[in-house]
Amino acid sequence: MVRVSVLNDCLKSISNAERRGKRQVLVRPSSKVIIKFLSVMQKHGYIGEFEIVDDHRAGKIVVQLNGRLNKCGVISPRFPVKIPDIEQWVADLLPSRQFGFIVMTTSAGIMDHAEARRRHIGGKILGYFY
């Protein structure tokens, strides 16, 4: 079988392990987009540390879970989002305005929707977590 979305596989395995109450999860293969997405999640405290294991193939990531993640997912296709439309996507995807983040890829890198709004940058939507 061919993998359609590496990021989707990664977030699905993290979400499933979190539901099962695991303390850590092994994600493979690794990619730059996955590492940036996980660093945004880590910055907001939804996951613990993650370690990149370099086998001489696609690589693996060991993610430490802390039990704060309720759901995470990928939005496919990667819709373009203008700055005024960010609020509508937040209302559609997240359960509340108080918590949860939408991850976007912008010309200034991969960041959450709050930082994109602060920097006044639009981009394409990658996924969400809360």
Side-chain angles (χ1 to χ4, degrees):
M1 270 310 269
V2 64
R3 287 183 191 254
V4 175
S5 172
V6 176
L7 181 62
N8 196 8
D9 290 350
C10 166
L11 294 183
K12 192 64 77 176
S13 62
I14 289 174
S15 185
N16 289 342
E18 188 78 67
R19 283 202 184 110
R20 293 276 300 128
K22 306 279 191 208
R23 301 303 303 156
Q24 65 182 17
V25 61
L26 178 71
V27 174
R28 47 176 273 271
S30 167
S31 77
K32 287 194 272 187
V33 174
I34 289 176
I35 291 168
K36 293 284 190 192
F37 199 104
L38 290 178
S39 62
V40 171
M41 290 172 78
Q42 184 184 28
K43 184 177 83 174
H44 294 292
Y46 281 84
I47 60 172
E49 299 291 317
F50 62 91
E51 178 186 356
I52 299 149
V53 180
D54 180 38
D55 53 0
H56 292 292
R57 293 169 188 81
K60 298 176 184 169
I61 304 173
V62 178
V63 182
Q64 304 294 329
L65 303 175
N66 56 10
R68 283 197 55 205
L69 190 66
N70 294 320
K71 189 173 183 188
C72 58
V74 172
I75 301 301
S76 178
R78 294 180 176 170
F79 292 107
V81 179
K82 297 176 185 165
I83 300 158
D85 300 341
I86 293 176
E87 196 59 44
Q88 184 60 45
W89 279 97
V90 168
D92 290 346
L93 291 175
L94 302 180
S96 164
R97 294 185 68 189
Q98 278 77 33
F99 69 98
F101 294 94
I102 293 176
V103 181
M104 300 172 59
T105 176
T106 66
S107 56
I110 293 176
M111 60 186 74
D112 59 81
H113 72 275
E115 187 178 348
R117 195 181 298 135
R118 270 196 308 274
R119 289 190 182 184
H120 206 71
I121 305 173
K124 292 188 183 279
I125 193 161
L126 278 180
Y128 61 93
F129 60 90
Y130 56 85

